[in-house]
Amino acid sequence: MPNSSSISEFLLLALADTRQLQLLHFWLLLGIYLAALLGNGLISTAVACDHRLHTPMYFFLLNLALLDLGCISTTLPKAMANIVFDTQAISYAGCVVQVFLFVFFISAEYSLLTIMSYDRYVAICKPLHYRTLLGSRACATMAAAAWGAGLLYSLLHTANTFSMPLCQGNVVHQFFCEIPQLVKLSCSQSYLKEIFVLVVSASVASGCFAFIIFSYVQVFRAVLRMPSEQGRHKAFSTCLPHLAVVSLFISTAMFAYLKPPSISSPSLDLLVAVLYSVVPPAVNPLIYSLRNQEIKDAFRKILLYTLFLHQNYCHHSPKTTT
């Protein structure tokens, strides 16, 4: 059996058996990827350019959009390139980089979602202290902490995963280099160290999840006590999208990394991986903008400004004469 020192590349999971289905998957993935780029790009541009969105909530939303762009760009372009070139290979170094970047973006996003729940808790339960607790310096520090936590967590997992000797071949049963699938390639006892790291990580993630739940219990209690129906509607419109994103992200990611081996299968693993790595970055912009009038207004301004620039360019472009 090959060991890790002799492996120069890994073979990723093919998304379909026939060429026609592979090309169908390519166009589907391309559509999802372009939607994610457009949605997160619009949110980033809107928050950066509209002064009315220069608030803590939208600052964190800008960071979330950037993390989503990084996350989906780590996995889908390589999967689409493999379909186009009809190959399943990814180099050893490419796999290391993919694991590092994916874990970095995913863990930083989870840390940021925890911070965003704290933002909603302070905004609704302690509105008089909002500017004090979430000033510009505090927001920048918390965002930097989320990115830094993702970096440290990714370094730990990447170094630990690729320090294990691999004795079970080089076939990764996933469309990208995913840690649980790489652990399956390790020798009989060497995987215990990574399992320990995963359990510790799951404990930390559970603590963050408990904090999110506590925050939203307090938020909903405060919202239900509001005398104004308009105030309740506005509070729910800012909290429910975040809660939906958190629920989708946490449930699928925890299932992917903590499910028992007895219920594991290639098709189920693929479905769960798509749900936690591809779907959230694509649908998060839709979830956050669907009931948010400020985001819609910012999108409208961007669209009108783009149309104005286009018309102005067409009006002043030189006309050729025959």
Side-chain angles (χ1 to χ4, degrees):
M1 300 298 290
N3 56 40
S4 54
S5 61
S6 65
I7 292 177
S8 61
E9 66 178 18
F10 293 95
L11 298 179
L12 301 176
L13 179 70
L15 295 176
D17 297 328
T18 65
R19 188 61 182 161
Q20 289 77 12
L21 282 177
Q22 287 179 352
L23 293 175
L24 178 62
H25 280 96
F26 168 80
W27 290 111
L28 178 62
L29 293 179
L30 180 62
I32 294 173
Y33 185 57
L34 292 177
L37 291 181
L38 177 63
N40 289 291
L42 279 173
I43 284 183
S44 301
T45 305
V47 174
C49 297
D50 195 329
H51 70 278
R52 295 177 304 171
L53 302 183
H54 292 174
T55 64
M57 182 179 77
Y58 293 111
F59 171 73
F60 294 132
L61 185 57
L62 168 63
N63 280 266
L64 182 67
L66 295 176
L67 289 170
D68 280 337
L69 284 173
C71 181
I72 201 167
S73 297
T74 302
T75 57
L76 284 197
K78 178 58 179 174
M80 291 187 293
N82 279 3
I83 293 175
V84 170
F85 296 109
D86 196 17
T87 181
Q88 297 173 246
I90 182 172
S91 67
Y92 188 92
C95 189
V96 173
V97 171
Q98 195 173 63
V99 167
F100 173 79
L101 291 177
F102 182 73
V103 176
F104 166 61
F105 288 122
I106 284 287
S107 52
E109 181 164 335
Y110 186 56
S111 301
L112 188 68
L113 289 173
T114 306
I115 293 171
M116 291 174 74
S117 69
Y118 174 71
D119 168 71
R120 291 299 83 207
Y121 166 75
V122 175
I124 293 175
C125 299
K126 300 180 182 294
L128 297 179
H129 302 283
Y130 187 67
R131 291 295 177 185
T132 304
L133 295 174
L134 287 161
S136 57
R137 189 169 184 176
C139 290
T141 301
M142 286 188 282
W147 289 78
L151 178 62
L152 292 175
Y153 186 75
S154 181
L155 284 171
L156 172 66
H157 266 297
T158 305
N160 196 48
T161 299
F162 288 96
S163 66
M164 297 184 299
L166 305 179
C167 307
Q168 308 297 324
N170 66 336
V171 179
V172 180
H173 294 287
Q174 192 55 270
F175 73 96
F176 66 96
C177 287
E178 186 187 44
I179 288 179
Q181 300 300 326
L182 291 169
V183 169
K184 293 179 181 179
L185 304 180
S186 64
C187 300
S188 57
Q189 297 299 321
S190 61
Y191 72 92
L192 293 177
K193 186 169 63 172
E194 176 61 20
I195 294 297
F196 174 74
V197 174
L198 284 174
V199 170
V200 173
S201 303
S203 301
V204 175
S206 299
C208 293
F209 181 66
F211 178 81
I212 293 172
I213 295 298
F214 170 79
S215 299
Y216 273 100
V217 168
Q218 301 302 314
V219 164
F220 288 137
R221 287 177 61 185
V223 169
L224 293 175
R225 289 198 299 265
M226 289 181 178
S228 167
E229 183 177 349
Q230 184 179 2
R232 288 197 299 270
H233 175 75
K234 184 176 181 180
F236 277 126
S237 68
T238 59
C239 292
L240 290 180
H242 178 253
L243 194 58
V245 169
V246 169
S247 301
L248 175 64
F249 178 82
I250 293 178
S251 59
T252 53
M254 291 189 72
F255 183 77
Y257 281 81
L258 300 177
K259 67 181 182 297
S262 57
I263 64 171
S264 181
S265 69
S267 57
L268 179 61
D269 292 344
L270 177 62
L271 174 63
V272 173
V274 169
L275 285 177
Y276 86 87
S277 66
V278 176
V279 173
V283 302
N284 281 356
L286 180 63
I287 292 174
Y288 277 108
S289 61
L290 197 60
R291 299 184 60 179
N292 191 313
Q293 191 59 43
E294 291 175 321
I295 289 287
K296 291 179 182 178
D297 291 341
F299 285 172
R300 192 176 296 112
K301 287 175 64 176
I302 293 174
L303 178 61
L304 291 175
Y305 183 69
T306 304
L307 291 174
F308 169 77
L309 290 179
H310 177 71
Q311 291 176 351
N312 195 46
Y313 172 78
C314 293
H315 179 72
H316 290 92
S317 61
K319 296 180 174 60
T320 59
T321 58
T322 58

